Amino acid sequence: MGKLPDEDNIYVREGGGTLQDSLAFLLKNLEEMNRSWIRIKKEADKLVAKKLMAQSLVVMTSLKGLTLDIYEKELLPKLIEIIFAYNDPLSQEFLLENIINIFPEDYNIKCMESILVTMSKLVEGVNIKKLFILLLDKLSSYIENMQKEGQEE
């Protein structure tokens, strides 16, 4: 994780790449792990693949150069493409659930329309109610935190 080109780290300064290179690498990794996860039959192997997919998303959020603008215009559309690459309900649900959980709440708020449109297009068998409740819980907690911060000032 620490060796990916990011905003003003040594891997960028030495001509080793850009934030976009890091995101492209992580997206490709996520896409390949998703493809593998769908094909894997053994539950233990599926669990490993799921962990690796979630880790790719965690690494994306840890990149200092990732801004809300980059997320909204570049990263989220590519993540949505990966979600719809296969009509697998477990994969679609897992990926969207992790996107909602892992990316910051302000990203979810700014991209609410895209997330809701994505939810409306998921294949049959995806627990949309669960995803919607998760999104509402995250937003509710964000609003509560903002209100608390406003009262402390």
Side-chain angles (χ1 to χ4, degrees), residues 83-104:
I83 288 171
F84 290 120
Y86 299 95
N87 290 328
D88 183 81
L90 294 175
S91 168
Q92 288 186 352
E93 185 175 320
F94 175 79
L95 287 170
L96 191 53
E97 178 180 356
N98 277 276
I99 289 167
I100 293 168
N101 265 326
I102 293 171
F103 286 93

Side-chain angles (χ1 to χ4, degrees), residues 5 13-14 18 23 33 36 38 56 62 64 71 74 102 111 129 132 138-139 149 152:
R13 287 192 299 264
E14 293 176 359
T18 65
L23 290 174
M33 289 310 307
S36 297
I38 291 168
S56 288
S62 72
K64 293 177 184 146
Y71 177 76
E74 296 176 34
I102 293 171
C111 301
K129 180 179 178 182
F132 191 70
K138 296 273 291 180
L139 296 176
E149 287 177 15
E152 292 174 2

Side-chain angles (χ1 to χ4, degrees), residues 40-91:
I40 294 172
K41 301 297 179 211
K42 289 176 57 180
E43 281 305 311
D45 294 337
K46 276 184 155 321
L47 183 60
V48 171
K50 283 173 77 170
K51 286 180 181 179
L52 290 171
M53 290 187 330
Q55 184 62 31
S56 288
L57 293 169
V58 169
V59 172
M60 287 177 202
T61 64
S62 72
L63 294 170
K64 293 177 184 146
L66 181 64
T67 63
L68 178 54
D69 192 53
I70 292 171
Y71 177 76
E72 178 184 27
K73 293 178 181 164
E74 296 176 34
L75 184 56
L76 184 59
K78 290 176 183 170
L79 290 169
I80 291 170
E81 282 179 29
I82 293 171
I83 288 171
F84 290 120
Y86 299 95
N87 290 328
D88 183 81
L90 294 175
S91 168

